[in-house]
Amino acid sequence: MMKRILVIGSKGMLGRDLVEALRFFLRDIEVFGWDVDEIDITEENKSVAKIESLQPGIVINVAAYTDVDGCELHEEKAFAINAEGMRHVALGAGGCGAKVVYLSTDYIFDGKKEKPYLEDDPPHPLSVYGRSKLKGEEYVQELAKDALVVRTQWLYGKYGNNFVASILRQAREKEVLSVVDDQIGSPTYTVDLSKVVSLLIQREARGIFHVANSNFCTWYDYAQRILTLSGVRGVRALPISSKELSRPAPRPSYSVLDTQKLKRETGMTLRPWFEALKDYLSASP
Ligand SMILES: NC(=O)c1ccc[n+]([C@@H]2O[C@H](COP(=O)([O-])OP(=O)(O)OC[C@H]3O[C@@H](n4cnc5c(N)ncnc54)[C@H](OP(=O)(O)O)[C@@H]3O)[C@@H](O)[C@H]2O)c1
């Protein structure tokens, strides 16, 4: 029988690009995509039985409650999906001997290091979202041998509501856009990330890998680049502090991920974030 890969969270922003990339790069593998309509990962018994019924060789979990401020206000829901949901997926995968791949986040770090984070730097999440994703990582490590954990950050892609879309939408409505200038990270294009995840799977990689587009910026720099590359005129970005924005969830002030391990072990490195952004914007209608 042809080997099967199951992607859970396949209708999300990353999930859609990932299913496409897996089908393109791993042609001898059958790719199945399920989202919450097919499997609700908060339900333990049903999730385990459903995964076992497919008998996949690899299960990739990109399903999550990704609204960072929503998680802060709904802690139980955040842990039910991001942590317990991952546990149920790992149990289902374990039941059929499948490898587990989990997508995690830079928000497991507190930002105090002020230098790019290595895979084995101690995590210290500031938010409920970060804590729930870290618990998901811990379940993977406890329950799934040979698992692959990919930590990434600041995602945007054509299938999701993201920062790029939000800046362009606001630029149609206002002349001045207030954007946070005291958080640093690397905007990462879901197409580039999906390619690397597919190739890591092809190489049977395991352990933790940091994967993000190279170079870094603040959200304010990022917004300015979006406006310039999109040819928007008469609209300007105004730098503000995180304190001024006052959102429910605290974010790390510096969460750049060091991707040297990826380069060292696979030879892969992602292009600079502004090149990927240019590509994304020129492909967007
Ligand atoms: N976005 C980022 O900047 C970012 C950064 C770092 C890491 N990540 C990680 O990357 C992964 C993908 O993120 P994304 O931005 O593509 O997320 P997304 O667009 O929010 O997609 C997540 C998908 O999971 C589904 N889902 C939610 N609850 C579920 C449940 N109980 N059972 C099954 N499916 C459920 C969602 O369905 P509904 O939409 O119907 O709820 C959605 O289709 C996540 O693990 C996230 O933590 C994201």
Side-chain angles (χ1 to χ4, degrees), residues 12-14 35 39-41 62-64 66 103-104 129 133 152 155:
M13 179 169 67
L14 175 61
D35 209 278
I39 184 171
D40 179 349
I41 61 170
V62 295
T66 53
L103 263 291
S104 191
Y129 172 72
K133 293 292 293 182
T152 188
L155 294 185

